[in-house]
Amino acid sequence: MENIMTLGPVSSVSWKYWSELKDLNNSVKLELITLLSNSVANSVSETTSEKGWTKSFAGQWQDDRTTEEIINDLRAARNTKIKEVEL
């Protein structure tokens, strides 16, 4: 594939579309750029919001124990098994 300006190697899919669209006037090209950019920006914002899904759980835990009591209960519930290994 040829290079389009300085973009580097271009995929066959991109080259196919470029071959069809390169002769459009500049205003149509700019409209297409805007539409494509917006579609990418929307997918990026969706990915960002998916990363913060755990925030929906903030403040949901209800318990009458103090922080220290919860920590002590968690430590007491640990199931650490130490096995002796013969070498």
Side-chain angles (χ1 to χ4, degrees), residues 42-55:
N42 288 339
S43 68
V44 168
S45 66
E46 287 172 9
T47 303
T48 303
S49 66
E50 289 173 4
K51 287 182 182 176
W53 67 271
T54 56
K55 292 180 182 177

Side-chain angles (χ1 to χ4, degrees), residues 68-81:
E68 287 78 21
E69 290 172 325
I70 294 172
I71 292 170
N72 289 335
D73 288 347
L74 289 170
R75 287 184 176 149
R78 287 183 182 164
N79 190 5
T80 305
K81 295 180 181 179

Side-chain angles (χ1 to χ4, degrees), residues 26-45:
N26 288 342
S27 64
V28 173
K29 287 180 185 176
L30 288 171
E31 288 175 4
L32 288 169
I33 290 169
T34 302
L35 291 170
L36 289 169
S37 297
N38 287 341
S39 72
V40 171
N42 288 339
S43 68
V44 168
S45 66

Side-chain angles (χ1 to χ4, degrees), residues 1-2 8-17:
M1 293 288 137
E2 283 183 42
V10 178
S11 72
S12 59
V13 174
S14 297
W15 187 252
K16 175 188 170 214
Y17 286 111

Side-chain angles (χ1 to χ4, degrees), residues 16-29 32:
K16 175 188 170 214
Y17 286 111
W18 174 248
S19 299
E20 294 178 23
L21 301 172
K22 67 182 177 183
D23 296 324
L24 295 174
N25 68 43
N26 288 342
S27 64
V28 173
K29 287 180 185 176
L32 288 169

